[in-house]
Coordinates of all heavy atoms in Angstrom, one line a residue:
M667 N -0.5 12.3 5.6 CA -1.9 12.0 5.2 C -2.1 10.5 5.1 O -1.3 9.8 4.6 CB -2.2 12.7 3.9 CG -3.6 12.4 3.5 SD -4.0 12.7 1.8 CE -3.7 14.4 1.5
K668 N -3.2 10.1 5.7 CA -3.5 8.6 5.6 C -3.7 8.2 4.2 O -4.2 8.9 3.4 CB -4.8 8.3 6.4 CG -4.6 8.5 7.9 CD -5.8 8.0 8.7 CE -5.6 8.1 10.2 NZ -6.7 7.6 10.9
N669 N -3.3 6.9 3.9 CA -3.5 6.4 2.6 C -4.6 5.4 2.7 O -4.5 4.2 2.7 CB -2.2 5.7 2.1 CG -2.3 5.3 0.7 OD1 -3.3 5.1 0.1 ND2 -1.1 5.3 0.0
L670 N -5.8 6.0 2.6 CA -7.1 5.2 2.6 C -7.2 4.4 1.4 O -7.9 3.4 1.4 CB -8.3 6.1 2.9 CG -8.2 6.8 4.3 CD1 -9.4 7.8 4.4 CD2 -8.1 5.9 5.4
K671 N -6.6 4.9 0.3 CA -6.8 4.2 -1.0 C -6.0 2.8 -0.9 O -6.5 1.8 -1.5 CB -6.2 5.0 -2.2 CG -7.1 6.3 -2.4 CD -6.6 7.0 -3.6 CE -5.3 7.8 -3.3 NZ -4.9 8.6 -4.5
L672 N -4.9 2.8 -0.3 CA -4.2 1.6 -0.1 C -5.0 0.6 0.8 O -5.1 -0.6 0.4 CB -2.8 1.8 0.5 CG -2.0 0.6 0.9 CD1 -1.8 -0.4 -0.2 CD2 -0.6 1.0 1.5
K673 N -5.5 1.1 1.9 CA -6.3 0.3 2.8 C -7.5 -0.3 2.0 O -7.8 -1.5 2.1 CB -6.8 1.1 4.0 CG -7.4 0.3 5.0 CD -7.7 1.1 6.3 CE -8.3 0.3 7.4 NZ -8.5 1.1 8.6
A674 N -8.2 0.5 1.2 CA -9.3 0.0 0.4 C -8.9 -1.0 -0.6 O -9.6 -2.0 -0.8 CB -10.0 1.2 -0.2
A675 N -7.8 -0.8 -1.3 CA -7.4 -1.7 -2.3 C -7.0 -3.1 -1.7 O -7.3 -4.1 -2.2 CB -6.2 -1.2 -3.1
R676 N -6.4 -3.0 -0.5 CA -6.0 -4.2 0.2 C -7.3 -5.0 0.6 O -7.3 -6.2 0.5 CB -5.1 -3.8 1.4 CG -4.7 -5.0 2.2 CD -3.7 -4.6 3.3 NE -4.2 -3.6 4.2 CZ -5.1 -3.8 5.2 NH1 -5.6 -5.0 5.4 NH2 -5.5 -2.8 6.0
A677 N -8.3 -4.2 1.1 CA -9.5 -4.8 1.5 C -10.2 -5.5 0.3 O -10.8 -6.6 0.5 CB -10.4 -3.8 2.2
M678 N -10.2 -4.8 -0.8 CA -10.8 -5.4 -2.0 C -10.2 -6.8 -2.4 O -10.9 -7.6 -3.0 CB -10.7 -4.5 -3.2 CG -11.5 -3.2 -3.1 SD -13.3 -3.5 -3.1 CE -13.5 -4.0 -4.7
K679 N -8.9 -6.9 -2.1 CA -8.2 -8.2 -2.4 C -8.4 -9.2 -1.2 O -7.8 -10.3 -1.2 CB -6.7 -8.0 -2.6 CG -6.5 -7.4 -4.0 CD -6.7 -8.4 -5.1 CE -6.2 -7.9 -6.4 NZ -6.4 -8.9 -7.4
D680 N -9.1 -8.7 -0.1 CA -9.3 -9.5 1.1 C -7.9 -10.0 1.7 O -7.8 -11.1 2.1 CB -10.2 -10.8 0.8 CG -10.7 -11.4 2.1 OD1 -10.9 -10.6 3.0 OD2 -11.0 -12.6 2.1
M681 N -7.0 -9.0 1.8 CA -5.7 -9.2 2.3 C -5.5 -8.5 3.6 O -5.9 -7.3 3.7 CB -4.6 -8.8 1.3 CG -4.5 -9.5 0.1 SD -3.1 -9.0 -0.9 CE -1.8 -9.9 -0.2
S682 N -4.9 -9.1 4.6 CA -4.5 -8.5 5.8 C -3.2 -7.7 5.6 O -2.6 -7.9 4.6 CB -4.3 -9.5 6.9 OG -3.1 -10.3 6.6
Q683 N -2.9 -6.8 6.5 CA -1.7 -6.1 6.4 C -0.5 -7.1 6.4 O 0.5 -6.9 5.7 CB -1.5 -5.1 7.6 CG -2.4 -3.9 7.5 CD -2.2 -2.9 8.7 OE1 -1.6 -3.3 9.7 NE2 -2.7 -1.7 8.5
E684 N -0.6 -8.1 7.2 CA 0.4 -9.1 7.3 C 0.6 -9.9 6.0 O 1.7 -10.1 5.5 CB 0.1 -10.2 8.4 CG 1.2 -11.2 8.6 CD 2.4 -10.7 9.3 OE1 2.3 -9.7 10.0 OE2 3.5 -11.2 9.0
E685 N -0.5 -10.2 5.3 CA -0.4 -10.9 4.0 C 0.3 -10.0 3.0 O 1.1 -10.5 2.2 CB -1.8 -11.4 3.6 CG -2.3 -12.5 4.4 CD -3.8 -12.7 4.2 OE1 -4.5 -11.8 3.9 OE2 -4.2 -13.9 4.3
L686 N -0.1 -8.7 2.9 CA 0.5 -7.8 2.0 C 1.9 -7.6 2.3 O 2.8 -7.6 1.3 CB -0.3 -6.5 2.0 CG 0.3 -5.4 1.0 CD1 0.3 -5.9 -0.4 CD2 -0.5 -4.1 1.2
A687 N 2.2 -7.5 3.5 CA 3.6 -7.3 3.9 C 4.5 -8.4 3.5 O 5.6 -8.2 2.9 CB 3.7 -7.1 5.4
K688 N 4.0 -9.7 3.7 CA 4.8 -10.8 3.3 C 5.0 -10.9 1.7 O 6.0 -11.2 1.2 CB 4.1 -12.1 3.7 CG 4.3 -12.4 5.2 CD 3.7 -13.7 5.6 CE 3.9 -13.9 7.1 NZ 3.2 -15.1 7.6
A689 N 3.9 -10.5 1.0 CA 3.9 -10.5 -0.4 C 5.0 -9.5 -1.0 O 5.5 -9.8 -2.1 CB 2.5 -10.2 -1.0
V690 N 5.2 -8.4 -0.3 CA 6.2 -7.5 -0.8 C 7.5 -7.4 0.0 O 8.3 -6.5 -0.1 CB 5.5 -6.0 -0.9 CG1 4.4 -6.0 -1.9 CG2 5.1 -5.5 0.5
S691 N 7.6 -8.4 0.9 CA 8.9 -8.5 1.7 C 9.2 -7.4 2.6 O 10.3 -6.9 2.7 CB 10.1 -8.8 0.8 OG 9.8 -10.0 0.0
V692 N 8.2 -6.9 3.3 CA 8.4 -5.9 4.4 C 7.6 -6.3 5.6 O 6.9 -7.4 5.6 CB 7.9 -4.5 4.0 CG1 8.7 -4.0 2.8 CG2 6.4 -4.4 3.7
S693 N 7.8 -5.6 6.7 CA 7.0 -5.9 7.9 C 5.6 -5.4 7.9 O 5.3 -4.5 7.1 CB 7.7 -5.4 9.1 OG 7.6 -3.9 9.1
R694 N 4.8 -6.0 8.7 CA 3.4 -5.5 8.8 C 3.4 -4.1 9.3 O 2.5 -3.3 8.9 CB 2.6 -6.4 9.8 CG 1.1 -6.0 9.9 CD 0.4 -6.5 11.2 NE 1.1 -6.0 12.4 CZ 1.0 -4.8 12.9 NH1 0.3 -3.9 12.3 NH2 1.6 -4.5 14.0
Q695 N 4.3 -3.8 10.2 CA 4.4 -2.4 10.7 C 4.7 -1.4 9.6 O 4.2 -0.3 9.6 CB 5.5 -2.3 11.8 CG 5.2 -3.0 13.0 CD 5.5 -4.5 13.0 OE1 5.9 -5.1 12.0 NE2 5.4 -5.2 14.2
T696 N 5.4 -1.8 8.5 CA 5.7 -0.9 7.4 C 4.4 -0.6 6.7 O 4.1 0.5 6.3 CB 6.7 -1.5 6.5 OG1 8.0 -1.7 7.2 CG2 6.9 -0.6 5.2
I697 N 3.6 -1.7 6.4 CA 2.3 -1.5 5.7 C 1.4 -0.6 6.6 O 0.8 0.3 6.1 CB 1.6 -2.8 5.4 CG1 2.5 -3.7 4.5 CG2 0.2 -2.6 4.8 CD1 2.8 -3.1 3.2
N698 N 1.4 -0.8 7.9 CA 0.6 0.0 8.8 C 1.0 1.4 8.7 O 0.2 2.4 8.7 CB 0.7 -0.6 10.2 CG -0.2 0.2 11.2 OD1 0.1 1.3 11.6 ND2 -1.3 -0.4 11.6
A699 N 2.3 1.7 8.7 CA 2.9 3.0 8.7 C 2.5 3.7 7.4 O 2.2 4.9 7.4 CB 4.4 3.0 8.9
I700 N 2.5 3.0 6.3 CA 2.1 3.6 5.0 C 0.7 4.0 5.0 O 0.3 5.1 4.7 CB 2.4 2.7 3.8 CG1 3.9 2.4 3.7 CG2 1.9 3.2 2.5 CD1 4.3 1.2 2.8
E701 N -0.2 3.1 5.5 CA -1.6 3.4 5.6 C -1.9 4.5 6.5 O -2.9 5.3 6.3 CB -2.4 2.1 6.0 CG -2.4 1.1 4.9 CD -3.2 -0.2 5.3 OE1 -3.8 -0.2 6.4 OE2 -3.3 -1.1 4.4
S702 N -1.1 4.6 7.6 CA -1.4 5.7 8.6 C -0.8 7.0 8.2 O -1.0 8.0 8.8 CB -0.7 5.3 9.9 OG -1.3 4.1 10.4
G703 N 0.0 7.0 7.1 CA 0.6 8.3 6.6 C 1.9 8.6 7.4 O 2.3 9.8 7.3
N704 N 2.5 7.7 8.1 CA 3.7 7.9 8.9 C 5.0 7.5 8.2 O 6.0 7.6 8.7 CB 3.6 7.2 10.2 CG 2.4 7.7 11.1 OD1 2.2 8.9 11.1 ND2 1.8 6.9 11.7
Y705 N 4.8 6.9 6.9 CA 6.0 6.5 6.2 C 5.8 6.6 4.7 O 4.7 6.3 4.2 CB 6.2 5.0 6.5 CG 7.4 4.3 5.8 CD1 8.7 4.6 6.1 CD2 7.2 3.5 4.8 CE1 9.8 4.1 5.5 CE2 8.2 2.9 4.1 CZ 9.5 3.2 4.4 OH 10.6 2.6 3.8
N706 N 6.7 7.2 4.1 CA 6.7 7.4 2.6 C 7.5 6.2 2.0 O 8.8 6.3 2.1 CB 7.2 8.7 2.2 CG 6.3 9.8 2.5 OD1 5.1 9.7 2.4 ND2 6.9 10.9 3.0
P707 N 6.9 5.3 1.3 CA 7.6 4.2 0.8 C 8.5 4.6 -0.4 O 8.2 5.6 -1.1 CB 6.5 3.2 0.4 CG 5.3 4.1 0.1 CD 5.4 5.2 1.1
T708 N 9.5 3.7 -0.7 CA 10.3 3.9 -1.9 C 9.4 3.6 -3.1 O 8.4 3.0 -3.0 CB 11.5 3.0 -1.9 OG1 11.0 1.6 -2.0 CG2 12.4 3.2 -0.7
V709 N 9.9 4.1 -4.3 CA 9.2 3.9 -5.5 C 9.1 2.3 -5.8 O 8.1 1.8 -6.2 CB 9.9 4.6 -6.7 CG1 9.3 4.2 -8.0 CG2 9.7 6.1 -6.5
N710 N 10.2 1.6 -5.5 CA 10.2 0.2 -5.7 C 9.2 -0.5 -4.8 O 8.5 -1.4 -5.3 CB 11.6 -0.4 -5.4 CG 12.6 0.0 -6.5 OD1 12.2 0.2 -7.6 ND2 13.9 -0.1 -6.2
L711 N 9.0 -0.1 -3.6 CA 8.0 -0.7 -2.7 C 6.6 -0.3 -3.2 O 5.7 -1.2 -3.2 CB 8.2 -0.2 -1.3 CG 7.2 -0.8 -0.3 CD1 7.1 -2.3 -0.3 CD2 7.5 -0.3 1.1
C712 N 6.4 0.9 -3.7 CA 5.1 1.3 -4.3 C 4.8 0.4 -5.4 O 3.6 0.0 -5.6 CB 5.2 2.8 -4.7 SG 5.2 4.0 -3.4
I713 N 5.7 0.2 -6.3 CA 5.5 -0.7 -7.5 C 5.2 -2.1 -7.1 O 4.2 -2.7 -7.6 CB 6.7 -0.6 -8.4 CG1 6.9 0.8 -9.0 CG2 6.6 -1.7 -9.5 CD1 8.2 1.0 -9.8
A714 N 5.9 -2.6 -6.1 CA 5.6 -4.0 -5.6 C 4.2 -4.1 -5.0 O 3.5 -5.1 -5.3 CB 6.7 -4.4 -4.6
I715 N 3.8 -3.1 -4.2 CA 2.5 -3.1 -3.7 C 1.4 -3.1 -4.8 O 0.4 -3.8 -4.8 CB 2.3 -1.9 -2.7 CG1 3.1 -2.2 -1.4 CG2 0.8 -1.7 -2.3 CD1 3.2 -1.0 -0.5
C716 N 1.6 -2.2 -5.8 CA 0.7 -2.1 -6.9 C 0.6 -3.4 -7.6 O -0.6 -3.8 -8.0 CB 1.1 -1.0 -7.8 SG 0.8 0.7 -7.1
K717 N 1.7 -4.1 -7.9 CA 1.6 -5.4 -8.6 C 0.8 -6.4 -7.8 O 0.0 -7.1 -8.4 CB 3.0 -5.9 -8.8 CG 3.8 -5.1 -9.9 CD 5.1 -5.7 -10.2 CE 5.9 -5.0 -11.3 NZ 7.2 -5.5 -11.5
V718 N 1.0 -6.5 -6.5 CA 0.3 -7.4 -5.7 C -1.2 -7.1 -5.7 O -2.0 -8.0 -5.7 CB 0.9 -7.5 -4.3 CG1 0.0 -8.3 -3.3 CG2 2.3 -8.1 -4.3
L719 N -1.5 -5.9 -5.6 CA -2.9 -5.5 -5.5 C -3.6 -5.2 -6.9 O -4.8 -4.9 -6.9 CB -3.1 -4.2 -4.6 CG -2.6 -4.3 -3.2 CD1 -2.7 -3.0 -2.5 CD2 -3.4 -5.4 -2.5
D720 N -2.9 -5.4 -8.0 CA -3.4 -5.2 -9.3 C -4.0 -3.8 -9.5 O -5.1 -3.7 -10.0 CB -4.4 -6.3 -9.7 CG -3.8 -7.7 -9.7 OD1 -2.7 -7.8 -10.2 OD2 -4.5 -8.6 -9.2
V721 N -3.3 -2.8 -9.1 CA -3.7 -1.4 -9.3 C -2.5 -0.6 -9.8 O -1.4 -1.1 -9.9 CB -4.2 -0.8 -8.0 CG1 -5.5 -1.4 -7.5 CG2 -3.1 -0.8 -6.9
T722 N -2.7 0.6 -10.2 CA -1.6 1.4 -10.7 C -1.1 2.3 -9.6 O -1.7 2.5 -8.6 CB -2.1 2.3 -11.9 OG1 -3.0 3.3 -11.4 CG2 -2.8 1.5 -13.0
L723 N 0.1 2.9 -9.9 CA 0.7 3.9 -8.9 C -0.3 5.0 -8.7 O -0.5 5.5 -7.6 CB 2.0 4.4 -9.4 CG 3.2 3.4 -9.4 CD1 4.4 3.9 -10.1 CD2 3.5 3.1 -7.9
N724 N -0.9 5.5 -9.8 CA -1.8 6.6 -9.7 C -3.0 6.3 -8.8 O -3.5 7.1 -8.1 CB -2.4 7.0 -11.1 CG -1.3 7.8 -11.9 OD1 -0.4 8.3 -11.4 ND2 -1.5 7.8 -13.2
D725 N -3.5 5.0 -8.9 CA -4.6 4.6 -8.1 C -4.3 4.7 -6.6 O -5.2 5.1 -5.8 CB -5.0 3.1 -8.3 CG -5.5 2.9 -9.7 OD1 -6.1 3.8 -10.3 OD2 -5.4 1.7 -10.2
L726 N -3.1 4.5 -6.2 CA -2.8 4.4 -4.7 C -2.0 5.6 -4.2 O -2.2 6.0 -3.0 CB -2.0 3.1 -4.4 CG -2.7 1.8 -4.6 CD1 -1.9 0.7 -4.1 CD2 -4.1 1.8 -3.9
F727 N -1.1 6.1 -5.0 CA -0.1 7.0 -4.4 C 0.0 8.4 -4.9 O 0.7 9.2 -4.4 CB 1.3 6.4 -4.5 CG 1.5 5.1 -3.8 CD1 1.5 3.9 -4.5 CD2 1.6 5.1 -2.4 CE1 1.6 2.7 -3.8 CE2 1.7 3.9 -1.7 CZ 1.7 2.7 -2.4
W728 N -0.9 8.8 -5.9 CA -0.9 10.1 -6.3 C -2.3 10.7 -6.0 O -3.3 10.1 -6.1 CB -0.7 10.2 -7.8 CG 0.8 10.3 -8.2 CD1 1.4 11.5 -8.6 CD2 1.7 9.3 -8.2 NE1 2.7 11.2 -8.8 CE2 3.0 9.9 -8.5 CE3 1.7 8.0 -7.8 CZ2 4.2 9.2 -8.6 CZ3 2.9 7.3 -7.9 CH2 4.1 7.9 -8.3
P729 N -2.3 11.9 -5.4 CA -3.5 12.5 -5.0 C -4.5 12.8 -6.2 O -4.0 13.1 -7.3 CB -3.1 13.8 -4.3 CG -1.7 14.1 -4.8 CD -1.1 12.8 -5.2
Q730 N -5.7 12.8 -5.9 CA -6.7 13.1 -6.9 C -6.7 14.6 -7.1 O -6.5 15.4 -6.2 CB -8.1 12.7 -6.5 CG -8.3 11.2 -6.3 CD -8.3 10.4 -7.6 OE1 -8.6 11.0 -8.7 NE2 -7.9 9.2 -7.6
K731 N -7.0 15.1 -8.3 CA -7.0 16.5 -8.6 C -8.4 17.1 -8.3 O -9.4 16.5 -8.2 CB -6.7 16.8 -10.1 CG -5.2 16.5 -10.3 CD -4.9 16.8 -11.7 CE -3.4 16.4 -12.0 NZ -3.0 16.7 -13.3

């Protein structure tokens, strides 16, 4: 499933995939794969992304009820 919440949070910070990738020490392709729903990131990567984007894990990685 696509992670549109991650894409939206990244856009709110006016960050490109490349900028986010550098901030969390992964490749741009990894960020693209997460947003496309083709890669499930580790918990540590999820936490790093959330810190950079100033959001919670629930905001980005847990489905809404």
Side-chain angles (χ1 to χ4, degrees):
M667 180 196 298
K668 290 187 178 185
N669 192 330
L670 299 177
K671 294 185 285 184
L672 173 56
K673 188 173 185 176
R676 182 174 55 76
M678 292 294 292
K679 287 287 188 177
D680 197 30
M681 293 183 84
S682 67
Q683 288 182 344
E684 183 70 29
E685 291 167 329
L686 178 57
K688 285 182 182 179
V690 297
S691 302
V692 297
S693 69
R694 183 202 56 80
Q695 290 85 351
T696 298
I697 299 300
N698 183 284
I700 295 168
E701 289 183 0
S702 299
N704 296 322
Y705 178 73
N706 289 321
T708 64
V709 171
N710 287 337
L711 179 53
C712 290
I713 292 168
I715 290 169
C716 288
K717 285 182 180 179
V718 169
L719 297 177
D720 295 321
V721 294
T722 68
L723 288 169
N724 287 342
D725 291 337
L726 294 187
F727 296 105
W728 271 257
Q730 298 288 337
K731 293 181 180 179

